[in-house]
Amino acid sequence: VQRRAPRYDVKCTDTIKASIREFDSAVPQTVELSNISERGAKLRVADSFSVKDSFALAIEVEEPEYSVEVTAKVCWVSPVMGDGLWL
């Protein structure tokens, strides 16, 4: 029995861009979008976040041109080898 939604790896990071913006900041931060599912996304970020933090997540696709922005909440945090965090 599969309990979680299928995840889809994002391999075209040159044509699919992701950014997050904390609600108390006007400046977006570019992030790495690793995978996406109907219930969430895996992001690599440079700044520190905690479980339950919320922010605006924007995803832009170049071809065909499409963008979406949603309110996101951190459900888990894991350090990245080298630098940053996975959310």
Side-chain angles (χ1 to χ4, degrees):
V1 175
Q2 185 175 4
R3 293 185 178 194
R4 59 185 193 181
R7 290 178 167 78
Y8 301 95
D9 290 335
V10 177
K11 297 186 186 286
C12 301
T13 56
D14 55 333
T15 59
I16 301 174
K17 306 290 182 192
S19 62
I20 59 175
R21 182 182 48 77
E22 295 180 70
F23 294 119
D24 61 353
S25 173
V27 181
Q29 172 190 160
T30 300
V31 299
E32 177 186 335
L33 177 61
S34 174
N35 66 47
I36 193 164
S37 74
E38 67 182 45
R39 298 202 41 148
K42 182 179 179 182
L43 307 171
R44 182 178 181 168
V45 301
D47 289 348
S48 179
F49 285 89
S50 299
V51 172
K52 296 187 181 178
D53 283 350
S54 294
F55 50 81
L57 168 63
I59 300 173
E60 298 178 8
V61 178
E62 287 183 11
E63 191 63 41
E65 189 173 335
Y66 181 80
S67 65
V68 63
E69 184 170 319
V70 297
T71 298
K73 180 175 72 173
V74 177
C75 295
W76 56 269
V77 177
S78 178
V80 174
M81 270 301 219
D83 188 27
L85 295 171
W86 288 116
L87 307 180

